[in-house]
Amino acid sequence: MKVAFFSSKPYDKAFFSQAKEASFFDFTFFKVHLDVTTVGLTAGFDAVCVFVNDDLSAEVLAGLSDNGVRFIALRCAGYNNVDLSVAAQKTLKIVRVPAYSPHAVAEHALALIMALNRKTHRAHNRVHEGNFALDGLLGFDVFGKTVGIVGTGRIGAVFANIMKGLGCELIAYDPYPNSSLDGIVEYVGLDSIWTRAEIISLHCPLTPESHHLIDDVSIGKMKAGVMLINTSRGALIDTKALIKGLKSSKIGWVGLDVYEEEADLFFEDLSNQIIQDDVFARLMTFPNVMITGHQAFFTEQALESIAETTLQNLLDLKKGLECANEVRN
Ligand code: NAD
């Protein structure tokens, strides 16, 4: 099977080429994103393998179908970038990697909480400059804090157990409560998350219902000084409302691994360019904001698992087998 990779990086090439099923495939790695301008590259391929910021809108799906592509393998969990109804019309089969390492993402959410709280990044720089003063580095005990978790699927559940281990009180919202968390979290309505939590961590998918879940209204209900963590999808947060909340000090701390306009920024070295996104640039000026560039998933275990599962998904499709990881409209 001929597979065209888009948005590929050296680590994708390394992990996919080493995977045990690799010999069944002929891989071509394109660095560019898949979009209307690059879909022409897919002529002659059976499948495309894409990532979070590739464009799988109606026009691109039509181009894939015209080029004879039959399978779309998402090497990620989320599929908010795919027009599922058009994919169904075009009989394009879509597979994803629903779970590769929930630990990787949950542990990164913890890393953001701890680094923000204890200002580890600033402390590191100070010590390197011979500045051992502690002023400005004051943090808080995470023990005993009320943590609100939005979405308690695979990642949210691991995160809940981590935070339980730190001695936090856990409240959660999920339309489908997770029975494995009985006795660990108290399920409440979203309003109670906003009004009660001192740390809020988002672990739900981006859907029309969850788009801009964090906006002026929800921020207005939050405790003053709340810490907000988003390792899920950028558009769960209305960034302009977030900036307002930071400027008024209603929001005390923000840790982001995702950003709603990240497609033009993340995964590239732009260190010699002028950042044109003024909203993102403003966000980076706050001393109480920490941003990482969608790296929560980025562990060896997760990359191995992504490669193995993606190739198994494609083999299942090729053999006409039922694939548990198929995404249907
Ligand atoms: P999952 O499907 O196991 O769990 C998602 C949970 O969210 C489910 O329990 C679902 O019922 C719940 N949910 C759905 N809509 C909701 C809503 N409106 N409010 C609250 N809960 C809602 O998914 P997962 O593996 O735990 O992943 C969660 C999200 O994390 C993914 O959708 C993806 O966007 C994101 N993610 C980010 C990275 C990263 O590198 N930053 C990596 C993997 C996944």
Side-chain angles (χ1 to χ4, degrees):
M1 184 188 285
K2 292 185 76 176
V3 186
F5 284 70
F6 285 85
S7 308
S8 76
K9 300 288 178 196
Y11 47 82
D12 293 314
K13 196 170 179 180
F15 279 87
F16 273 88
S17 304
Q18 284 161 23
K20 65 176 185 300
E21 312 288 9
S23 59
F24 295 105
F25 296 89
D26 179 357
F27 298 141
T28 300
F29 294 92
F30 295 115
K31 288 182 186 163
V32 289
H33 286 324
L34 177 62
D35 60 24
V36 281
T37 66
T38 58
V39 70
L41 294 169
T42 62
F45 286 93
D46 305 297
V48 291
C49 182
V50 294
F51 197 48
V52 291
N53 292 324
D54 288 305
D55 173 6
L56 293 146
S57 57
E59 206 178 337
V60 176
L61 294 173
L64 291 175
S65 174
D66 290 346
N67 282 345
V69 172
R70 288 174 299 147
F71 308 131
I72 299 171
L74 300 161
R75 51 181 192 278
C76 55
Y79 49 88
N80 51 285
N81 50 341
V82 188
D83 187 327
L84 290 179
S85 62
V86 173
Q89 283 163 26
K90 301 279 178 197
T91 62
L92 286 161
K93 290 206 173 264
I94 300 163
V95 283
R96 66 176 183 134
V97 186
Y100 33 92
S101 172
H103 300 279
V105 182
E107 288 171 13
H108 192 72
L110 174 68
L112 288 172
I113 292 171
M114 296 313 258
L116 272 169
N117 168 23
R118 307 306 295 268
K119 305 177 179 73
T120 322
H121 52 308
R122 303 178 80 182
H124 174 81
N125 289 340
R126 275 193 198 184
V127 168
H128 274 256
E129 288 172 7
N131 176 358
F132 303 99
L134 298 182
D135 322 65
L137 298 183
L138 191 65
F140 59 83
D141 285 7
V142 173
F143 175 84
K145 287 280 176 283
T146 300
V147 177
I149 306 172
V150 181
T152 52
R154 296 175 191 87
I155 297 169
V158 172
F159 179 75
N161 281 297
I162 290 173
M163 299 315 284
K164 192 71 188 169
L166 289 176
C168 296
E169 296 299 319
L170 303 182
I171 55 176
Y173 169 74
D174 193 309
Y176 301 97
N178 184 337
S179 57
S180 77
L181 296 177
D182 286 352
I184 296 176
V185 307
E186 175 197 352
Y187 278 100
V188 297
L190 263 185
D191 266 2
S192 294
I193 300 278
W194 308 147
T195 55
R196 287 173 55 189
E198 293 157 297
I199 299 172
I200 297 173
S201 194
L202 305 180
H203 298 288
C204 63
L206 176 63
T207 61
E209 297 74 50
S210 64
H211 183 263
H212 284 186
L213 189 66
I214 306 293
D215 60 5
D216 285 324
V217 177
S218 49
I219 290 171
K221 294 175 185 171
M222 289 177 194
K223 275 183 179 286
V226 65
M227 179 187 279
L228 200 54
I229 303 293
N230 187 9
T231 56
S232 218
R233 281 292 181 269
L236 294 175
I237 298 182
D238 174 351
T239 315
K240 289 188 178 143
L242 185 71
I243 288 172
K244 259 196 269 171
L246 280 158
K247 284 171 78 175
S248 69
S249 298
K250 176 79 177 205
I251 299 180
W253 324 72
V254 173
L256 302 178
D257 186 51
V258 286
Y259 167 60
E260 54 183 332
E261 302 298 335
E262 71 179 47
D264 293 334
L265 297 169
F266 287 7
F267 306 114
E268 305 303 330
D269 178 1
L270 305 181
S271 53
N272 286 318
Q273 295 184 31
I274 309 295
I275 300 288
Q276 298 296 329
D277 182 333
D278 292 347
V279 174
F280 185 78
R282 179 67 178 102
L283 208 48
M284 286 197 298
T285 64
F286 295 97
N288 49 350
V289 172
M290 176 172 278
I291 306 174
T292 53
H294 209 136
Q295 72 170 80
F297 73 100
F298 199 55
T299 66
E300 280 182 31
Q301 291 72 14
L303 291 192
E304 272 166 21
S305 173
I306 288 169
E308 299 287 343
T309 307
T310 301
L311 297 185
Q312 191 55 55
N313 287 343
L314 285 170
L315 284 178
D316 286 352
L317 292 183
K318 188 177 180 211
K319 290 177 191 159
L321 299 175
E322 189 68 21
C323 177
N325 298 328
E326 188 170 342
V327 183
R328 293 194 174 88
N329 190 19

